[in-house]
Amino acid sequence: MAASAPTPHGTGFPAEGRCGYYVEKKKRFCRMVVAAGKRFCGEHAGAAEEENARKRILCPLDPKHTVYEDQLAKHLKKCNSREKPKPDFFIQDINAGLKDETEIPEQLVPISFLSEEQMENLIKKLRKASEGLNSTLKDQIMSHPALHDALNDPKNGDSATKHLKQQASILGNIEKLKLLGPRRCFVEFGAGKGKLSHWVDIALKDAEKVHFILVEKVTTRFKVDGKHRKKNSVFERLQIDIQHLCLNKIPLLSKEKLPVVGIGKHLCGVATDLALRCLVETYAASCEERNEEPLAKRVKNDKTEKEINTLAKEGNEKNIPEKWTPVAGIVIALCCHHRCDWRHYVGKEYFRALGLGAVEFHYFQRMSSWATCGMQKTSLEASNISTKRKDKQNDGSEEHDDGGYRITDDSTESLPGFLTVEEKKKIGHLCKLLIDQGRINYLQQKGFNPALQYYTDPLVSLENVLLTALPNHSSSPETTA
């Protein structure tokens, strides 16, 4: 097919100043601007007769685009896909945990390949390991005045309202733990657009010396942190995987030496473990070894007595920790336990103490999705359901009749139908609880007072558990795991 041949689809000619190459897949001409006197853009110039002498090849760094073969060396020096120089705070696998290949089997079969006897043995192990754990957490659903107007905006859709309710509750819990105050640095892991830090900043108003570090490994559109240009708060975004992040090497933290508050909303699976290790091992342990100067002393050095008294009258000084602590607190909304990884998991010692290992962890983390994945009745039993019940089956909801129907989930790892809907949900919740209890145990071993609580209604989000932790010398959370 001739590159510039007229086509019956739309106009038969390219727009003025645009490439004359017809893209068959898109049924239109290429819309790239061409150089003066040229008919084709650089990407499609190879199709033009006058350019036949120059060959275009796929870029070795990113095969999604092409480059002239005779200009490859020059292109590789400026290609956007080239490896960028690593910043000082990038240290390969610093938060990854120890890699023990002997503990991880080369290949584990999917759950759907397990026999009924194997599944029953796994469930027995799970229930035995979960004995004594409180499976019903305390409701700690809160709000914050900073989000009052946003929550009551009539323009909000259902999705926006649900996110705002979660952000408001997380903010309320941060305040309840006395972590919402001046002279500290909030590190938001898995920041995305940066909405959580945005609301923390609004809630703090003009509090002095507040810094925000937003950690996100992918490029994000529609970021909100770029809108903040206040004098008293500083926003810094780091595009890096938490696995390689060394907070000690960030100039802002090494210079200011402010207490860090780790926050996150729906920090998926393995990212939670990486963030915990980043905070309490990589950062806190290193700072304590350097015997940092007490914060109260530095406050007096930096401020006059008059300014300190003014702060106290305004009620802000009570939120300044009396003792220097590298990590003042952790508030993370948990998510996606099925995406956890044994190598990075911080609760290995807890699992081993229960007689469990990498194999059990693998299946428990897969089974954890049963608590939230949504379930359907098997086709065999669905065919026996009366006409009265068919509407409930077709609406795709997660609510089911208490008829003891055999079920499968939407994933490829469906089971032989020997579990009821409620049994499967309970097993999923137990798996999540056991994994989280390993994190609680880890934080306790590291000198923190951790807690788990429900921070939002399950109708708002099925991932509704909040992990909080304060150093042992601070005020303890009211809720315990």
Side-chain angles (χ1 to χ4, degrees):
M1 181 188 74
S4 56
T7 172
H9 302 279
T11 178
F13 301 95
E16 186 177 355
R18 304 289 174 167
C19 179
Y21 184 85
Y22 185 74
V23 185
E24 182 63 34
K25 184 177 180 180
K26 297 183 178 180
K27 305 299 181 185
R28 62 166 174 79
F29 285 96
C30 172
R31 294 172 181 165
M32 293 291 289
V33 177
V34 297
K38 301 290 184 180
R39 292 179 58 198
F40 299 93
C41 68
E43 193 70 18
H44 299 125
E49 294 181 2
E50 62 269 27
E51 300 290 345
N52 277 342
R54 301 181 71 189
K55 180 182 178 183
R56 291 189 73 86
I57 60 174
L58 296 177
C59 174
L61 299 178
D62 181 6
K64 293 181 180 178
H65 66 273
T66 61
V67 60
Y68 283 120
E69 188 173 27
D70 58 359
Q71 292 186 343
L72 177 61
K74 181 180 178 181
H75 172 79
L76 292 178
K77 294 179 181 179
K78 62 180 181 179
C79 179
N80 288 333
S81 298
R82 72 189 185 282
E83 186 176 358
K84 310 293 192 304
K86 296 291 190 295
D88 291 340
F89 51 79
F90 180 99
I91 299 181
Q92 187 73 35
D93 292 333
I94 189 170
N95 303 314
L98 297 175
K99 188 174 183 180
D100 189 348
E101 299 288 356
T102 61
E103 287 193 13
I104 305 174
E106 291 184 5
Q107 188 173 6
L108 292 170
V109 299
I111 290 179
S112 56
F113 284 28
L114 298 178
S115 67
E116 186 169 325
E117 182 181 357
Q118 288 173 314
M119 277 304 309
E120 287 177 345
N121 287 335
L122 273 174
I123 293 171
K124 284 179 182 178
K125 287 184 178 181
L126 172 66
R127 287 176 173 154
K128 182 179 180 181
S130 304
E131 288 177 357
L133 296 182
N134 183 10
S135 59
T136 304
L137 306 180
K138 182 179 179 180
D139 284 332
Q140 202 69 33
I141 301 174
M142 307 187 75
S143 189
H144 195 279
L147 287 92
H148 177 77
D149 291 341
L151 282 166
N152 292 285
D153 189 343
K155 296 180 182 178
N156 289 337
D158 289 342
S159 178
T161 301
K162 287 181 178 181
H163 283 294
L164 287 168
K165 286 181 177 179
Q166 294 173 70
Q167 290 155 355
S169 184
I170 294 173
L171 200 58
N173 277 279
I174 293 174
E175 185 174 53
K176 186 176 186 297
L177 295 171
K178 298 181 180 180
L179 296 174
L180 197 63
R183 299 186 63 84
R184 61 199 64 196
C185 179
F186 292 87
V187 180
E188 183 178 357
F189 295 95
K193 297 177 184 178
K195 290 281 185 73
L196 184 55
S197 291
H198 164 79
W199 290 115
V200 171
D201 187 50
I202 289 178
L204 287 171
K205 297 181 181 178
D206 295 321
E208 64 163 13
K209 283 198 174 183
V210 178
H211 298 273
F212 294 90
I213 296 176
L214 283 67
V215 182
E216 179 58 65
K217 70 176 181 179
V218 297
T219 304
T220 307
R221 301 178 66 192
F222 310 118
K223 299 182 285 290
V224 298
D225 40 293
K227 301 177 182 178
H228 293 268
R229 295 288 184 269
K230 295 197 307 184
K231 181 179 180 181
N232 294 327
S233 59
V234 177
F235 278 76
E236 182 176 358
R237 180 173 283 265
L238 308 180
Q239 187 174 335
I240 185 174
D241 193 317
I242 305 170
Q243 182 170 332
H244 314 301
L245 174 62
C246 180
L247 291 176
N248 302 314
K249 300 291 186 179
I250 297 176
L252 187 150
L253 285 177
S254 60
K255 178 182 177 182
E256 297 291 341
K257 295 183 176 61
L258 297 175
V260 166
V261 180
I263 61 175
K265 175 177 173 287
H266 287 181
L267 196 57
C268 285
V270 65
T272 296
D273 297 302
L274 295 173
L276 293 178
R277 191 174 282 113
C278 176
L279 289 167
V280 305
E281 282 188 47
T282 308
Y283 184 65
S286 175
C287 289
E288 288 170 359
E289 287 175 3
R290 295 200 303 263
N291 295 320
E292 299 288 0
E293 181 183 11
L295 180 64
K297 182 178 178 181
R298 288 190 292 107
V299 170
K300 291 183 179 180
N301 289 339
D302 294 344
K303 305 180 67 59
T304 65
E305 198 68 32
K306 182 178 178 181
E307 288 174 314
I308 294 174
N309 292 335
T310 302
L311 275 176
K313 289 178 182 178
E314 293 174 351
N316 290 330
E317 194 70 21
K318 65 181 180 181
N319 280 331
I320 299 179
E322 295 179 359
K323 179 182 177 182
W324 156 252
T325 175
V327 178
I330 300 170
V331 181
I332 294 176
L334 305 174
C335 180
C336 300
H337 294 70
H338 64 280
R339 298 186 66 180
C340 291
D341 185 283
W342 176 252
R343 178 196 172 184
H344 306 305
Y345 181 52
V346 296
K348 288 181 183 177
E349 289 186 13
Y350 177 76
F351 260 61
R352 292 187 186 116
L354 294 171
L356 305 174
V359 174
E360 289 81 8
F361 179 84
H362 170 79
Y363 288 116
F364 291 168
Q365 56 123 11
R366 298 301 302 166
M367 290 154 60
S368 70
S369 65
W370 296 350
T372 57
C373 67
M375 301 174 184
Q376 298 175 336
K377 300 176 179 68
T378 60
S379 57
L380 176 63
E381 290 168 329
S383 63
N384 297 325
I385 298 175
S386 64
T387 305
K388 182 185 286 188
R389 291 176 175 168
K390 283 183 179 177
D391 290 340
K392 286 192 175 183
Q393 180 191 2
N394 295 330
D395 66 6
S397 68
E398 295 186 358
E399 296 182 2
H400 303 271
D401 297 322
D402 295 328
Y405 294 111
R406 311 287 183 192
I407 51 86
T408 80
D409 58 26
D410 293 330
S411 71
T412 57
E413 296 193 340
S414 57
L415 286 176
F418 69 90
L419 295 170
T420 65
V421 171
E422 289 306 315
E423 285 173 340
K424 200 169 184 182
K425 283 185 178 180
K426 287 178 180 178
I427 289 169
H429 281 296
L430 273 184
C431 290
K432 293 167 83 72
L433 181 64
L434 191 63
I435 291 172
D436 288 339
Q437 189 60 37
R439 292 164 171 166
I440 292 290
N441 180 263
Y442 168 80
L443 288 168
Q444 289 172 339
Q445 297 295 322
K446 296 297 180 181
F448 285 80
N449 186 6
L452 296 171
Q453 53 263 314
Y454 295 124
Y455 78 100
T456 193
D457 191 280
L459 294 176
V460 173
S461 174
L462 289 175
E463 297 283 13
N464 63 339
V465 175
L466 188 72
L467 171 64
T468 63
L470 294 175
N472 280 332
H473 59 73
S474 300
S475 300
S476 302
E478 293 182 2
T479 324
T480 55

